[in-house]
C-alpha cells in the first residue's frame, strides 16, 4: 500500500474486529504485511522534502542547544563540587587561629630547649650508650644462666615449669611484660 492511502487504517480496524482479540502492534504488522503489504508507517501522512529538511534543521539546532546546555551543567557541577569541598571563610579563620596557636607552642618549646643550660655533651651521651650496652649484655647473660638452672631443676621435677615458678616465687620478664632491648 502507498503512504497516500489511508485505507490501511480501515484494514487494521477490520482485521482487529474480525479476529476479536488483542494484538500487539508487532503482531498486527506481521499478520497484515503478508496479505496487504501493510507496514508500520502506513498510518503517517506524506511529508515533502522541504518539510523533512526543516525538521532535520530543527533537530540539528536543538541537538546543538542540548550539547551546549549539558556542557554548561557539567561545568556548574564541577564548580559546585569544588566549592562544597573547600572551607568557608569562618572555617578558614578558625583553622588559621589553631595553626598560629600550635606554632606559638612550638616556638616556646624551642626557646626552652635553646635556653637550657644542661645540654648533654657528646662524651656524656657516648658514655650512657656504652653503659646501656653493658647492662643489656649482663641482663642477657643472667637470664640465660637462670634459664639453664631452671632447666636442670625441671629435669627431675614432677610438676610443670609454671607450677615450679609459682612455688619458688620467680617472676619472669614475660610475667612483668618486659621485653629485652636490642644491643
Amino acid at each position: 500500500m502507498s503512504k497516500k492511502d489511508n485505507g490501511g487504517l480501515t484494514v487494521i480496524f477490520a482485521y482487529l474486529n474480525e479476529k476479536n482479540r488483542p494484538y500487539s502492534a508487532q503482531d498486527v504488522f506481521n499478520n497484515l504485511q503478508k496479505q496487504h503489504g501493510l507496514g508500520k508507517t502506513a498510518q503517517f501522512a506524506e511529508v515533502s522534502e522541504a518539510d523533512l529538511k526543516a525538521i532535520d534543521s530543527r533537530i540539528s539546532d536543538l541537538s546543538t542547544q542540548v550539547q551546549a546546555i549539558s556542557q554548561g551543567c557539567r561545568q556548574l557541577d564541577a564548580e559546585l563540587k569544588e566549592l562544597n569541598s573547600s572551607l568557608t571563610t569562618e572555617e578558614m579563620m578558625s583553622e588559621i587561629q589553631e595553626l598560629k596557636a600550635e606554632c606559638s607552642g612550638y616556638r616556646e618549646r624551642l626557646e626552652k630547649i635553646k635556653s637550657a643550660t644542661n645540654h648533654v655533651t657528646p662524651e656524656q651521651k657516648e658514655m650512657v650508650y656504652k653503659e646501656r650496652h653493658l647492662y643489656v649484655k649482663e641482663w642477657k647473660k643472667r637470664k640465660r644462666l637462670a634459664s639453664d638452672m631452671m632447666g636442670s631443676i625441671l629435669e627431675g621435677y614432677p610438676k610443670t615449669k609454671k607450677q615450679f615458678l609459682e612455688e619458688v616465687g620467680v617472676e619472669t620478664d614475660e610475667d612483668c611484660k618486659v621485653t629485652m632491648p636490642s644491643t
Side-chain angles (χ1 to χ4, degrees), residues 144-159:
R144 187 179 61 251
L145 287 173
S147 180
D148 289 347
M149 284 191 296
M150 281 191 290
S152 298
I153 293 171
L154 287 173
E155 285 178 6
Y157 195 72
K159 297 179 183 177

Side-chain angles (χ1 to χ4, degrees), residues 10 17 38 45 53 57 69 86:
T10 57
N17 284 333
L38 190 63
K53 286 182 181 179
S57 174
I69 291 171
S86 64

Side-chain angles (χ1 to χ4, degrees), residues 108-174:
E108 290 173 13
R109 186 172 168 210
L110 180 62
E111 288 302 318
K112 286 180 184 177
I113 291 172
K114 285 182 177 179
S115 66
T117 57
N118 59 351
H119 292 293
V120 177
T121 63
E123 294 82 22
Q124 291 172 327
K125 183 179 173 182
E126 185 63 32
M127 187 178 81
V128 168
Y129 279 127
K130 284 183 180 179
E131 285 181 10
R132 178 186 176 276
H133 179 71
L134 178 69
Y135 293 139
V136 169
K137 185 177 174 184
E138 191 65 29
W139 181 2
K140 287 180 180 180
K141 178 180 166 186
R142 290 182 183 195
K143 184 173 181 175
R144 187 179 61 251
L145 287 173
S147 180
D148 289 347
M149 284 191 296
M150 281 191 290
S152 298
I153 293 171
L154 287 173
E155 285 178 6
Y157 195 72
K159 297 179 183 177
T160 65
K161 179 179 179 180
K162 186 175 181 179
Q163 291 172 336
F164 171 72
L165 292 175
E166 284 179 12
E167 281 183 23
V168 176
V170 174
E171 293 179 351
T172 63
D173 292 341
E174 292 78 23

Side-chain angles (χ1 to χ4, degrees), residues 14-62:
Y15 175 76
L16 291 174
N17 284 333
E18 176 189 327
K19 298 298 181 182
N20 195 22
R21 60 175 283 228
Y23 280 103
S24 69
Q26 186 65 40
D27 291 337
V28 171
F29 170 73
N30 288 338
N31 293 337
L32 292 180
Q33 184 183 19
K34 296 174 188 169
Q35 300 169 358
H36 301 283
L38 190 63
K40 290 182 183 178
T41 60
Q43 297 177 37
F44 295 116
E46 187 172 317
V47 180
S48 70
E49 281 296 318
D51 290 342
L52 284 176
K53 286 182 181 179
I55 291 171
D56 285 343
S57 174
R58 178 80 174 134
I59 289 172
S60 172
D61 292 344
L62 291 175

